[in-house]
Amino acid sequence: MQIRVHRATTADIPAAAQTLAVAFEQYPWTRWSIPDEGYADRLEALQRIYLEHALACGLVLVAGDADGVLALMPPEAPAPTDEAQTRIAALLGERLPLLLAAELPRTPTGAWELATLGVHPSSWGRGIGGALLAHALREVGQAGPVPVALETSDPRNVTLYSRHGFVVAATTTITEGPVVYSMVRPGTDAAS
């Protein structure tokens, strides 16, 4: 089955945010970091903010009709705007201090950051996540080998990322929270 992957436009963002919200509904990190009250709405609103930022500063890819979504941020990407950060803080509510206190390894210098990769549950098992990841790695590697880093709190994701050359660089247990796997793909280019 051929999976159509395209660069997102502003018009793709609402459906992409919905896909990510459904994909991350039971994800350990979001379950820990987002308040239970209004969880689904908060999660979708956060995904939309992050996707808008990634669209402005990085690379957002969509598979099919938003069956899957991936966002990559370049090294030295700017932080979200003050307005976006205010909205993020409001959505995270009482969980914000815990999130800020979580100590995770820094992204390696010069690495692109895989900010998110999610596939709608109705499309799981069709190779969409792998297709998005392969497409993204080719795009960022066109100018030569570059490292790509990510974090995941679902051990099943480690297998997918390992198939694409990522290795676990650190494992962090968040107090009263999830285990986070920091992974790095040392260098990728268009031929990978």
Side-chain angles (χ1 to χ4, degrees):
M1 172 172 109
Q2 181 69 18
I3 298 168
R4 181 178 51 89
V5 174
H6 66 275
R7 278 183 173 250
T9 66
T10 303
D12 292 308
I13 297 302
Q18 289 174 350
T19 292
L20 291 176
V22 174
F24 286 95
E25 183 178 2
Q26 297 301 320
Y27 187 65
W29 181 266
T30 55
R31 276 288 168 194
W32 172 77
S33 64
I34 299 173
D36 288 336
E37 184 181 336
Y39 174 79
D41 291 335
R42 288 174 192 254
L43 177 55
E44 186 174 332
L46 286 163
Q47 295 294 355
R48 187 172 185 146
I49 294 166
Y50 295 139
L51 284 172
E52 288 168 349
H53 178 64
L55 188 63
C57 303
L59 172 67
V60 178
L61 299 174
V62 175
D65 295 322
D67 299 315
V69 181
L70 177 146
L72 264 171
M73 297 300 288
E76 312 303 325
T81 65
D82 290 344
E83 176 188 341
Q85 290 188 49
T86 299
R87 291 171 44 217
I88 291 166
L91 290 164
L92 293 173
E94 75 271 6
R95 302 300 295 172
L96 182 61
L98 295 173
L99 188 61
L100 294 174
E103 293 186 27
L104 296 170
R106 294 178 58 93
T107 300
T109 302
W112 281 72
E113 182 180 359
L114 179 58
T116 194
L117 170 58
V119 175
H120 195 284
S122 66
S123 296
W124 286 355
R126 297 183 187 169
I128 292 171
L132 281 164
L133 189 54
H135 189 100
L137 293 171
R138 279 192 306 274
E139 281 215 29
V140 301
Q142 287 181 359
V146 295
V148 178
L150 64 90
E151 294 168 346
T152 184
S153 61
D154 187 336
R156 295 173 298 179
N157 292 343
V158 173
T159 302
L160 167 68
Y161 296 128
S162 295
R163 285 196 305 260
H164 289 270
F166 288 85
V167 296
V168 175
T171 303
T172 306
T173 301
I174 305 296
T175 304
E176 297 182 28
V179 173
V180 178
Y181 304 90
S182 299
M183 301 184 75
V184 177
R185 188 166 193 259
T188 181
D189 55 36
S192 294

